[in-house]
Amino acid sequence: MDLSQKKLFLLDLDGTLYLEETLLPGAAEFLEYVRSRGGCYRFLTNNSSRGVDAGLEKMHRLGVPAVPEEFLTAVEATIHYLRTVRSPNDIYYAVGTASFCRQIAQAGFSLRDTPTEDVTAVLVGYDTTLTYEKVQDACRLLCRGADFLATNPDLACPTLFGFVPDCGSICAMLENACGRKPVFIGKPDPTMIRLAWAQTGYGPAETLMVGDRLYTDIACGVHAGVDTALVLTGEATAADAAVSDTPPTAVYENMAQLLAALRQADHEKGETA
């Protein structure tokens, strides 16, 4: 992989650029360097618990310049899926945060607060406000035949103390109870990468997907046909990468090490130009 050819950097957030309120080593410097060399980046996150406004506020709080157009989320991928694949007459029961439900409703889709007879699909996100009542309502709907959709398959969300259950774990609980498997919409599906290409005009050869999870971030890049970089600041380990069905193109300890490699590649290209 020739890093000097890369102009579009697709970056996961949780476990890649930051952990909770802590910016990870090299993250801010990497973004600054990409801008200085005329490239661009997009933040690709499967975290559906908050909207772009919250993500933007967090980046600013961490001292990182960002604009709304730089965010591509699992919620946007879900909205794209609902518009292009599902019937406009579908009615959804959402297992998600208030922010998630608000974004889905603002996009023009019908939501119900209770498991009414007219609900055609259960839509599950990373719900940090999960209650047993929501779980029971979702089970009631799934057991009577409603479709099962979910924003992302991530099993755990990284924190400073370890991990907490993400959307994939919530879905596993529902699957165990109801015997139903969900259709997952976010990464590793390559929709967000394709949306990034449409926004920026770049293509596969100029793109690098960077993340900390093999089965979402790296698999997303593999499915889109782009080079990938795994950073070891989140879920996956180098040993995991060595036996993965979707191995990364390269592995780095953190964003600082990736930045050093990018600078070296640019330097070598300058010397041989």
Side-chain angles (χ1 to χ4, degrees):
M1 174 176 63
D2 183 0
L3 284 174
S4 69
Q5 294 182 343
K6 304 306 178 185
K7 300 297 182 184
L8 174 61
F9 296 85
L10 305 177
L11 307 166
D12 178 56
L13 291 174
D14 296 296
T16 299
L17 295 185
Y18 58 66
L19 282 174
E20 295 185 356
E21 294 298 317
T22 301
L23 204 60
L24 289 167
E29 295 83 358
F30 180 88
L31 299 176
E32 182 179 358
Y33 183 71
V34 168
R35 291 193 300 271
S36 73
R37 68 196 288 273
C40 68
Y41 46 78
R42 290 293 184 269
F43 305 122
L44 270 60
T45 176
N46 266 353
N47 191 330
S48 59
S49 68
R50 55 181 183 263
V52 170
D53 288 348
L56 188 64
E57 180 184 348
K58 180 166 187 173
M59 295 300 274
H60 290 170
R61 192 166 63 246
L62 294 174
V64 177
V67 296
E69 294 75 20
E70 291 170 340
F71 289 82
L72 286 168
T73 72
V75 180
E76 291 178 271
T78 298
I79 289 170
H80 178 79
Y81 177 88
L82 298 184
R83 283 177 175 159
T84 57
V85 177
R86 301 289 303 184
S87 166
N89 298 319
D90 275 324
I91 296 174
Y92 301 94
Y93 176 82
V95 179
T97 61
S99 172
F100 174 63
C101 294
R102 183 168 57 253
Q103 291 177 78
I104 297 298
Q106 287 176 346
F109 300 102
S110 298
L111 291 178
R112 296 288 185 265
D113 295 328
T114 58
T116 56
E117 292 293 332
D118 58 350
V119 170
T120 56
V122 174
L123 183 58
V124 181
Y126 172 32
D127 191 358
T128 57
T129 59
L130 185 66
T131 65
Y132 199 80
E133 182 179 9
K134 290 182 186 179
V135 173
Q136 189 173 25
D137 287 346
C139 287
R140 182 176 286 110
L141 290 164
L142 292 173
C143 287
R144 72 179 187 217
D147 292 337
F148 190 3
L149 310 175
T151 59
N152 60 292
D154 302 60
L155 294 171
C157 183
T159 69
L160 287 173
F161 61 78
F163 299 91
V164 294
D166 205 322
C167 178
S169 290
I170 297 172
C171 289
M173 176 171 55
L174 296 173
E175 181 182 341
N176 287 335
C178 304
R180 301 282 306 281
K181 291 183 178 293
V183 173
F184 289 113
I185 300 166
K187 296 180 289 183
D189 182 90
T191 295
M192 280 189 272
I193 292 181
R194 293 172 183 149
L195 291 173
W197 289 336
Q199 287 181 2
T200 64
Y202 289 118
E206 302 156 302
T207 302
L208 181 69
M209 178 72 213
V210 185
D212 69 300
R213 281 192 178 92
L214 291 161
Y215 62 91
T216 55
D217 303 322
I218 303 307
C220 183
V222 171
H223 294 162
V226 304
D227 285 325
T228 59
L230 177 72
V231 290
L232 304 179
T233 45
E235 181 174 314
T237 66
D240 295 331
V243 297
S244 173
D245 292 335
T246 54
T249 310
V251 179
Y252 301 93
E253 287 295 327
N254 50 34
M255 294 300 296
Q257 192 177 76
L258 174 56
L259 172 58
L262 179 58
R263 281 177 167 154
Q264 180 64 27
D266 287 345
H267 176 71
E268 292 174 356
K269 181 180 180 182
E271 286 185 341
T272 58

